[in-house]
Amino acid sequence: VSRVARGQRGLIRRLDRSPSSTREAGVQAGKHASFSFVTRGVLVILDALQPADSKASAALAVECQFLTRRFGAKDALAGVTLNVRRGEFLSVLGPAGCGKTTLLRLIAGLDLADSGGLKIAGNESSHVPAWRRPVNTVFPGYALFPHLSVSENVAFGLRLKRLPGRDIVRFATSAMELLHLTQIAGKHPHELSGEEKLRTALARALVVEPEILLLDEPLAGLDAAARQRLGQTLRELHQRNQNTFLLATADAELAMTASDRVAVLRAGHIEQVDTPDVLYERPRTRFVAEAVGACNLVQGEFRARSGQLLEAETSIGVLVMELSEIGIERAEQGKFIFGIRPERISLRGGGASDNRILGRITEVAFTGAMSRYVVRVGESI
Ligand code: ATP
């Protein structure tokens, strides 16, 4: 179905296109351009309840039940229920101040919840002291011992466990090899780059083989190339060790590329927990849609339905979209918000059944692999 919306004001914020195809199209800022999007690319933002995690307790590394933590008048955690499966890499994603560190501190045993339950490896753990939990933490800034060398930092936990000397050397050596620290084993923390500090902290935390590794903003402060390298390192370490990784971050790209599942945290509440692809394609709320990637949000009003195709009156014209059954049911109730990911929008071409809209390009930004277009159309919301 093809439609054109004319004479309306507003903004479709982003279209990402490869530079070569847009150069071919001769698209420039200030010019009018017709663009299209495939019906499959539209998604409805739902405020549906999250079904409970059906995994049996034995398969869970961490079970948080309505955890709350209040500081003065502020609820840092306002009833967080979250299950982390054994061997899973789960990221808690959210903006600064949403409660990520507070949640990790409760799980590590460094702070006490005001209410709620916490089980670790199947055991009620709310009042178990930190040192008795099968958990190790990589803190922001890494908290390396400044007076110890890299190898002494890595061996520290093994010494604490009073392992025989030869085992300490064997395990520490293999952890340092794994994290590429052998060449710098004798250096002290003040002589290390940020990346080397993180590698040392990871080796120190993993060498004692904790069931659960907590990582609090591990890549903060590193440059883009190091972030990419170490994101990959985290993924490889997880695949190799099979322990449970629970990472807190405000970096959507890290959370989405490294994790098996992502829990989106907003002001002390879990908004949605799902695999990265489900979060991206079927976010339940507007907050989640925007937290995991760029998204053009548009208001729609139900007009008609034919099978899985829905026709809606929107602020950018009458559009036809293909939705899931639950999306259709939600939209049929009347007004709804839907999102269009930038990469689903085409500046030219498109099939006969695609929606077509006329807009004015107001900005073009070349970002290397992609170009970002800002196109004014319809009414922004
Ligand atoms: P960031 O990424 O900036 O560290 P975060 O998501 O980890 O943020 P938390 O550090 O858990 O967030 O903080 C959640 C809220 O609780 C914030 O508003 C913070 O100011 C508050 N908070 C955390 N710890 C304390 C404390 N010890 N005393 C008072 N308020 C606190």
Side-chain angles (χ1 to χ4, degrees), residues 71 74 76 95-102 217:
F71 295 109
K74 164 128 190 144
C98 72
K100 305 180 293 294
T101 298
T102 304
E217 290 283 12

Side-chain angles (χ1 to χ4, degrees), residues 138-144 181 184 188-202 217-223 226-227 229-230:
V138 172
F139 295 98
Y142 318 129
L144 296 174
L181 297 167
I184 55 166
H188 283 71
H190 72 274
E191 301 169 295
L192 302 178
S193 70
E195 178 173 348
E196 290 165 342
K197 282 183 191 159
L198 173 55
R199 288 183 185 280
T200 306
L202 286 169
E217 290 283 12
L219 308 189
L222 300 178
D223 63 56
R227 291 173 78 81
R229 262 196 312 277
L230 284 156

Side-chain angles (χ1 to χ4, degrees), residues 96-323:
C98 72
K100 305 180 293 294
T101 298
T102 304
L103 180 62
L104 260 52
R105 284 175 57 80
L106 294 184
I107 295 168
L110 303 172
D111 192 11
L112 260 183
D114 293 315
S115 63
L118 173 67
K119 281 188 183 175
I120 297 178
N123 304 312
E124 178 51 51
S125 300
S126 304
H127 296 281
V128 173
W131 61 273
R132 289 193 55 201
R133 299 186 187 198
V135 171
N136 219 340
T137 308
V138 172
F139 295 98
Y142 318 129
L144 296 174
F145 302 116
H147 58 293
L148 299 182
S149 67
V150 167
S151 61
E152 289 164 341
N153 263 286
V154 174
F156 183 83
L158 299 169
R159 288 194 198 290
L160 220 56
K161 283 185 155 187
R162 298 184 187 283
L163 291 189
R166 64 175 182 285
D167 285 347
I168 294 179
V169 172
R170 191 156 58 91
F171 294 142
T173 304
S174 116
M176 285 193 297
E177 278 169 7
L178 185 64
L179 271 307
H180 307 295
L181 297 167
T182 315
Q183 304 293 324
I184 55 166
K187 284 192 174 182
H188 283 71
H190 72 274
E191 301 169 295
L192 302 178
S193 70
E195 178 173 348
E196 290 165 342
K197 282 183 191 159
L198 173 55
R199 288 183 185 280
T200 306
L202 286 169
R204 183 179 66 175
L206 285 171
V207 75
V208 292
E209 298 189 340
E211 270 185 51
I212 302 156
L213 181 67
L214 305 178
L215 299 143
D216 192 356
E217 290 283 12
L219 308 189
L222 300 178
D223 63 56
R227 291 173 78 81
Q228 195 133 37
R229 262 196 312 277
L230 284 156
Q232 177 67 20
T233 301
L234 289 176
R235 187 80 212 158
E236 284 166 10
L237 287 172
H238 176 255
Q239 278 165 1
R240 189 186 169 102
N241 289 280
Q242 296 295 303
N243 0 33
T244 305
F245 278 27
L246 180 53
L247 177 144
T249 185
D251 178 344
E253 192 180 330
L254 171 64
M256 297 290 274
T257 53
S259 326
D260 299 318
R261 287 192 306 154
V262 178
V264 179
L265 190 63
R266 176 191 192 187
H269 291 277
I270 298 279
E271 195 105 340
Q272 186 172 352
V273 190
D274 258 312
T275 54
D277 58 321
V278 172
L279 282 178
Y280 195 78
E281 299 290 348
R282 298 261 171 251
R284 285 191 157 78
T285 66
R286 176 178 178 160
F287 182 84
V288 174
E290 295 190 294
V292 299
C295 196
N296 298 287
L297 291 161
V298 185
Q299 196 131 33
E301 196 168 352
F302 176 81
R303 267 177 58 152
R305 170 189 182 168
S306 165
Q308 292 304 109
L309 288 183
L310 179 106
E311 190 178 270
E313 179 79 51
T314 80
S315 48
I316 55 172
V318 175
L319 303 176
V320 173
M321 53 195 87
E322 187 183 315
L323 299 176

Side-chain angles (χ1 to χ4, degrees), residues 8-13 15 31-33 35 316 357-363 373-380:
Q8 297 185 55
R9 292 183 57 74
L11 202 63
I12 285 276
R13 284 194 297 277
L15 293 91
K31 285 204 170 170
H32 283 287
F35 61 96
I316 55 172
I357 298 166
L358 195 71
R360 178 186 285 274
I361 296 163
T362 58
E363 225 180 281
Y373 289 82
V374 179
V375 182
R376 184 163 286 278
V377 59
E379 272 174 21
S380 66

